[in-house]
């Protein structure tokens, strides 16, 4: 490419929808269960008990819907798939039972948190933890000293009587 940046630098990431939808996955070694975790019109992220090799071809079924795709990445039980054809996102989201569907790419916090706020929050949590440990140690020490001095003080009290 002459005089420009890569195409991906100009193209914003497509909005993805978070879902939890059961599906069946077929790869060369056979069928297995999978869960769709997020979805866009051209790809999806799944969770499955089988290892998926990047570059391999898979078939994903959800009800009557069949998605043929290529594994783009795989990390542990999760994998990213690129679909051969457009995926009907709303159809899958509408058939999802008992979970909410909301966008995850492009989301923004109502008020962005600054590094200073995060640092202060971390220090407050650390202080609370240290104070809790110190309180437990002080109470334990008080009880041990009280038990250690109980017998001699009782003897002195009897003598002075």
């Amino acid at each position: 490419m002459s005089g420009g940046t890569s195409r991906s630098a100009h193209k914003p990431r497509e909005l993805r929808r978070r879902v939890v939808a059961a599906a069946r996955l077929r790869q060369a070694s056979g069928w297995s269960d999978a869960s769709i975790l997020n979805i866009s019109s051209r790809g999806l992220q799944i969770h499955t008990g089988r290892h998926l090799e990047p570059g391999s071809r898979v078939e994903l079924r959800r009800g009557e819907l069949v998605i043929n795709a290529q594994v783009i990445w795989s990390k542990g039980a999760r994998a990213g798939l690129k679909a051969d054809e457009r995926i009907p996102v709303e159809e899958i989201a509408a058939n999802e039972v008992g979970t909410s569907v909301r966008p995850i790419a492009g989301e923004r916090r109502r008020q962005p948190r600054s590094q200073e706020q995060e640092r202060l929050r971390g220090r407050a949590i650390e202080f609370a933890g240290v104070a809790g440990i110190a309180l437990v140690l002080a109470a334990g020490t008080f009880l041990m000293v009280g038990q250690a001095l109980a017998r001699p003080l009782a003897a002195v009290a009897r003598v002075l009587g």
Side-chain angles (χ1 to χ4, degrees):
M1 286 185 160
S2 62
T5 60
S6 69
R7 185 176 154 213
S8 63
H10 298 291
K11 186 178 178 185
R13 183 174 179 195
E14 182 179 354
L15 183 69
R16 282 152 174 70
R17 292 199 172 240
R18 185 174 294 158
V19 296
V20 178
R24 294 286 291 162
L25 178 74
R26 184 172 71 171
Q27 60 186 79
S29 60
W31 289 94
S32 62
D33 291 325
S35 295
I36 301 170
L37 302 178
N38 75 42
I39 189 167
S40 70
S41 67
R42 296 305 271 165
L44 37 94
Q45 180 184 29
I46 64 168
H47 180 275
T48 183
R50 291 192 173 182
H51 174 72
L52 298 177
E53 195 63 40
S56 64
R57 305 283 309 161
V58 295
E59 178 182 305
L60 191 73
R61 290 184 179 254
R62 172 140 170 91
E64 298 296 316
L65 180 65
V66 178
I67 301 170
N68 292 305
Q70 179 179 12
V71 178
I72 300 300
W73 61 267
S74 178
K75 184 174 183 180
R78 294 181 183 222
L81 308 179
K82 180 180 179 188
D84 294 344
E85 298 178 8
R86 285 206 167 291
I87 300 171
V89 175
E90 295 303 325
E91 181 181 329
I92 292 173
N95 290 334
E96 182 185 26
V97 179
T99 55
S100 63
V101 178
R102 61 186 189 93
I104 58 174
E107 282 185 354
R108 298 291 180 255
R109 296 184 185 276
R110 288 192 178 125
Q111 293 180 346
R113 291 186 278 191
S114 71
Q115 280 187 327
E116 182 66 17
Q117 287 173 325
E118 291 298 315
R119 188 180 67 75
L120 290 175
R121 182 174 179 237
R123 288 184 71 188
I125 291 170
E126 182 181 3
F127 177 79
V130 170
I133 291 169
L135 184 63
V136 168
L137 289 174
T141 303
F142 178 76
L143 291 173
M144 285 179 19
V145 169
Q147 286 178 343
L149 296 178
R151 187 179 274 167
L153 288 177
V156 169
R158 263 182 290 162
V159 170
L160 295 175

